Amino acid sequence: MKRLGYALIGVIVIAIGAGLHYALPQVDVVRLVGTDVKRVDTQENGADNESGSSVSTTDVYFVLTETEQGEPRNYRNEDAIIYGKFDSSNLHTRARSIAQDEENLVAVRHYGWRLPIFSMFPNAVKVWQVEPGYRHLPIFNIVFLTLLAAGIGYLAWRIRRVISARREANEAARVEREAQAERERMARRDNDESQRARDAFLSDDNSSS
């Protein structure tokens, strides 16, 4: 049972870690190569054709970059409610302008994963030019993870306190039950001794008479 509990905790920790790794912002220092716009077809429910579904076409912006080692690293550029990003077209224009300088070096703040098998790209949230040797300090992630760890630690402490209090209450109840049983046993023994004393006294009286 303990192993099952540990396995469940491990799965939960891995899931939370994966979710945080996906959602928290990361910054890459890369060279901006250009931008692109791709048309993506998506199925929507409807009754316009025999299949009962319709196809809608949307434009998806992409930011094309490469690392200092020349490895391609591309990002999609879509609005993101959780980051308050609603200016994808502005970011597209800015990235396109920066890309005209072949010696540019930019920092790209993004979230998400690059999974080629699913054609997934991280979503670029912000792009800004930086100087060579720039190193980004993830202050937001540090503060967020510190507060999250503190919250989890406090929650674990509270849960341990509740469990400990229940354990102590159960132990106190057990001790009280044992004490009550001992008192009842002693009372029965006293009653039995009193009864035997009375029986012996009555027996002596009968013998004397």
Side-chain angles (χ1 to χ4, degrees):
M1 195 65 179
K2 279 188 176 182
R3 290 183 178 179
L4 181 60
Y6 290 147
L8 180 61
I9 292 174
V11 170
I12 293 174
V13 169
I14 292 173
I16 293 175
L20 290 174
H21 187 268
Y22 178 89
L24 288 178
Q26 303 176 45
V27 173
D28 295 335
V29 177
V30 292
R31 189 175 70 86
L32 214 160
V33 176
T35 59
D36 193 11
V37 180
K38 290 185 178 180
R39 296 208 165 189
V40 178
D41 295 334
T42 56
Q43 292 288 127
E44 293 183 351
N45 294 329
D48 296 338
N49 51 37
E50 296 180 357
S51 63
S53 63
S54 61
V55 177
S56 66
T57 302
T58 57
D59 292 334
V60 179
Y61 297 119
F62 284 88
V63 177
L64 312 179
T65 72
E66 64 179 14
T67 65
E68 297 182 47
Q69 291 75 31
E71 297 177 0
R73 187 166 294 178
N74 302 327
Y75 310 85
R76 75 181 189 273
N77 175 21
E78 296 178 331
D79 291 344
I81 297 176
I82 61 174
Y83 282 94
K85 178 194 171 189
F86 304 99
D87 58 349
S88 298
S89 60
N90 292 345
L91 192 150
H92 178 81
T93 302
R94 177 170 174 77
R96 187 173 183 179
S97 175
I98 296 174
Q100 294 178 2
D101 178 11
E102 294 184 357
E103 301 299 325
N104 72 74
L105 193 66
V106 299
V108 180
R109 178 177 289 124
H110 64 89
Y111 71 92
W113 297 326
R114 175 69 175 110
L115 298 177
I117 191 173
F118 298 115
S119 296
M120 286 180 58
F121 294 86
N123 189 15
V125 178
K126 184 178 179 181
V127 174
W128 69 96
Q129 288 185 282
V130 296
E131 298 294 330
Y134 174 81
R135 292 293 181 271
H136 181 74
L137 180 64
I139 297 177
F140 175 83
N141 289 1
I142 293 173
V143 173
F144 178 84
L145 293 176
T146 300
L147 294 177
L148 179 64
I152 293 175
Y154 175 76
L155 181 62
W157 175 75
R158 291 292 300 175
I159 292 174
R160 290 186 63 183
R161 285 286 302 273
V162 171
I163 294 175
S164 178
R166 287 187 177 181
R167 188 176 299 161
E168 291 177 358
N170 291 337
E171 182 65 18
R174 185 186 65 79
V175 172
E176 178 61 26
R177 287 194 300 270
E178 291 179 354
Q180 180 65 26
E182 181 65 18
R183 287 193 294 269
E184 292 176 356
R185 187 180 68 79
M186 294 294 292
R188 287 195 299 270
R189 189 185 67 180
D190 293 341
N191 290 335
D192 292 343
E193 291 179 353
S194 298
Q195 184 63 38
R196 284 196 296 270
R198 285 195 296 271
D199 292 344
F201 177 75
L202 292 176
S203 176
D204 291 341
D205 287 346
N206 292 333
S207 298
S208 299
S209 61

